[in-house]
Amino acid sequence: MSSRQTTRAAYTAFPEGTTTTFGGMTAGEGTTTRRTKVTDRRRGGLVRAIVAALTAARAAQTGTTTAVGWLARTVTPAGWLVVALATVGLTLGWMFGWVEALVAGFASLALLVMSVPFLFGARGYDVAVHLPHERVVAGDPLDGQIAIRNIGGRTTLPGRVDLPVGQGLVELGVPLLRPGHETEQPVSIPAMRRGVITVGPPTAVRTDPVGLLRHEHEWDERHEIYVHPRTAVVPGTSAGMIRDLEGNPSRRIVDADMSFHAIREYVPGDARRQIHWKSTAKTGRLMVRQFEETRRSRLAVILSLAESEYATDDEFELAVSAAASLGVQAVRDGRDIDVVTGSAIPKMVRGRMRSIEVLQAGTPRGLLDGFSRLNALESTMPLPEVCRLAVEASDTLSLAFVVCGSQTTPRMLRQAALAFSSATAVVGVVCDEKAHPRTQPLGGLTVMTVGLLDDLPGLMIRGTQTSLMTGAGATG
């Protein structure tokens, strides 16, 4: 190539989303064109051909992927069987002149063609799900309605709307609808287990009578249903189980409170309403009262989530219901309460990581929402460690309920009770479906064995005096 030869450049445009390269440097985001400069005129045509081939291959690959995905969503297994019969029948009939094979092939092909019109119309629906409640109790059904309206300009053929409910599916038939017409179908969700259940999104399904082709259109509407644990009405946690209704006095001295401590000489800045006039008259100097700061007593409900501490799933559900009953009653009594559970810990750091979860206990509904999300954990802290961490988070506990399963040993319960101070009354609630309800002392705590949720109120009444005697003995 001579020095006077004009440099020729080949410019190629690529699809949006690619970066632009100029002499080995990359432009910033938002660039949509790539330019390649070729200085050899004889190779410019070859480069353009290669780039065009790559572009065509990329477009073919994208189109093939889209087509395969559409076929996988649209053609059912029965449809693929009919496609295979049509292909084999037409091929054998054409090659060997078999009339029967040709008839079978054309019949299969005609069946596929007649199935295509049934796919149209799924997008002509407007679907709305109406549920009267978003919170139910475990074991109770939920009834609602689903409204389906034809918003298109032509009559839609009969179809079906699928409504996912958790891991299940509710199928609803849709009749023929003229433009602007609406139909309402009742939705009955059967009794559900405790948890947070997602209802939706509704999906319109159009299929032919034979079931060869299928077309779906999904809406964005979703509902979260909180399935609360079953609870029992237990006696108020302030009646007998708590020794101090006003609070526990601390060692901190303050100028105004309820627990009187001593009298000292007046210093500038003291409130005049705290002057003790009798002592002032005796000493001839201004004397004021001092008090011990009192802290309002707190109640803790500690629930074990360790899967190994429960014999069955139903036993775990019983423990959740018992803990929820105690927590809800404490909130209704207006008490300060901590509801503490263990937290999931990766197995690789188990023993080196400590973690608990504290449920929000502002209102009974919010507390029950938190209980709805709990699950038994395979890897978590043992019950004594959960109690120790709960005490570190709140050291002003007056009463603690430790709820666990039948696989929790008495030794573990005693270790859990040792995590609390001597001023805290500890009550162990052992959930065992095969045991008879009973209350018994164990070391420095009271143990209530619950076989059914309905046993809890009676055990609470009987356990009041035992708890008081145990707490008095521990304090002494």
Side-chain angles (χ1 to χ4, degrees):
M1 182 183 298
S2 63
S3 58
R4 296 182 179 180
Q5 185 173 355
T6 304
T7 300
R8 184 174 182 178
Y11 295 93
T12 306
F14 283 79
E16 181 176 355
T18 60
T19 57
T20 305
T21 304
F22 296 93
M25 298 182 65
T26 303
E29 294 183 1
T31 308
T32 60
T33 306
R34 175 179 295 172
R35 294 182 174 87
T36 305
K37 185 176 182 180
V38 181
T39 58
D40 193 338
R41 184 182 358 182
R42 292 172 298 178
R43 296 183 180 179
L46 178 61
V47 170
R48 287 194 298 272
I50 294 175
V51 171
L54 291 176
T55 304
R58 188 180 295 109
Q61 181 181 3
T62 302
T64 302
T65 303
T66 304
V68 170
W70 181 85
L71 289 174
R73 295 189 304 269
T74 304
V75 183
T76 65
W80 287 115
L81 178 60
V82 173
V83 170
L85 290 176
T87 303
V88 173
L90 293 176
T91 302
L92 294 179
W94 182 266
M95 293 177 59
F96 301 102
W98 294 349
V99 178
E100 294 83 355
L102 285 174
V103 171
F106 279 115
S108 301
L109 185 61
L111 192 60
L112 285 172
V113 172
M114 288 187 295
S115 300
V116 172
F118 289 92
L119 301 182
F120 304 127
R123 295 180 180 271
Y125 291 145
D126 182 24
V127 179
V129 180
H130 304 288
L131 298 175
H133 308 289
E134 293 187 351
R135 290 169 175 83
V136 296
V137 179
D140 292 347
L142 178 63
D143 296 327
Q145 284 187 338
I146 182 169
I148 306 169
R149 182 180 179 83
N150 182 3
I151 59 175
R154 60 177 182 271
T155 302
T156 59
L157 298 175
R160 191 177 85 239
V161 171
D162 291 345
L163 184 65
V165 179
Q167 301 297 324
L169 188 70
V170 176
E171 296 183 355
L172 303 169
V174 181
L176 185 143
L177 289 178
R178 289 178 293 176
H181 280 227
E182 179 179 333
T183 181
E184 291 187 353
Q185 300 283 349
V187 178
S188 180
I189 301 176
M192 297 175 288
R193 292 179 64 89
R194 180 190 57 82
V196 181
I197 309 300
T198 301
V199 177
T203 303
V205 180
R206 301 304 305 271
T207 183
D208 58 277
V210 185
L212 304 182
L213 304 179
R214 174 188 178 98
H215 178 59
E216 297 181 355
H217 176 67
E218 184 179 283
W219 285 266
D220 296 331
E221 185 177 6
R222 284 179 172 86
H223 298 266
E224 277 194 344
I225 305 299
Y226 287 86
V227 184
H228 290 168
R230 303 195 70 87
T231 58
V233 179
V234 298
T237 53
S238 297
M241 303 292 281
I242 303 295
R243 295 189 299 276
D244 54 307
L245 299 182
E246 293 83 15
N248 292 321
S250 65
R251 296 181 179 180
R252 183 180 175 186
I253 306 302
V254 294
D255 293 333
D257 214 307
M258 300 184 65
S259 180
F260 176 75
H261 174 64
I263 295 176
R264 62 170 175 82
E265 189 174 350
Y266 176 88
V267 296
D270 289 337
R272 293 190 177 184
R273 67 176 179 272
Q274 301 299 341
I275 296 177
H276 194 267
W277 294 106
K278 289 185 179 181
S279 300
T280 300
K282 291 180 180 180
T283 60
R285 293 173 296 178
L286 287 176
M287 306 295 292
V288 294
R289 290 183 291 262
Q290 280 186 312
F291 299 86
E292 290 179 337
E293 182 186 31
T294 57
R295 298 174 181 175
R296 189 179 181 185
S297 57
R298 296 184 66 87
L299 181 146
V301 177
I302 300 173
L303 173 63
S304 172
L305 297 185
E307 195 176 69
S308 59
E309 297 180 11
Y310 296 94
T312 61
D313 292 340
D314 291 338
E315 187 174 285
F316 175 72
E317 294 300 323
L318 175 60
V320 174
S321 295
S325 301
L326 296 170
V328 168
Q329 185 60 51
V331 173
R332 289 172 178 168
D333 290 343
R335 301 205 60 82
D336 292 335
I337 179 175
D338 295 330
V339 180
V340 182
T341 67
S343 182
I345 297 177
K347 291 183 178 180
M348 62 184 66
V349 295
R350 187 176 180 180
R352 292 175 292 173
M353 179 178 174
R354 305 170 65 201
S355 177
I356 59 174
E357 183 177 352
V358 180
L359 303 186
Q360 298 296 326
T363 61
R365 174 182 290 185
L367 182 59
L368 290 173
D369 286 349
F371 275 108
S372 298
R373 297 184 180 276
L374 296 182
N375 294 306
L377 301 176
E378 182 180 358
S379 179
T380 185
M381 291 191 307
L383 182 59
E385 291 295 326
V386 176
C387 292
R388 291 190 186 96
L389 206 55
V391 172
E392 292 178 9
S394 178
D395 58 352
T396 60
L397 298 176
S398 291
L399 175 64
F401 290 97
V402 180
V403 186
C404 56
S406 62
Q407 303 302 306
T408 304
T409 62
R411 180 181 178 182
M412 292 179 63
L413 278 175
R414 285 194 296 265
Q415 290 177 348
L418 291 175
F420 300 92
S421 67
S422 59
T424 303
V426 183
V427 179
V429 182
V430 179
C431 298
D432 187 356
E433 294 182 310
K434 299 180 181 179
H436 294 287
R438 62 182 182 271
T439 301
Q440 59 185 359
L442 179 64
L445 74 156
T446 301
V447 177
M448 296 190 300
T449 303
V450 180
L452 297 172
L453 183 61
D454 294 336
D455 298 335
L456 186 60
L459 290 173
M460 285 285 293
I461 295 175
R462 284 190 292 172
T464 299
Q465 296 300 325
T466 306
S467 174
L468 288 173
M469 294 173 61
T470 303
T475 305

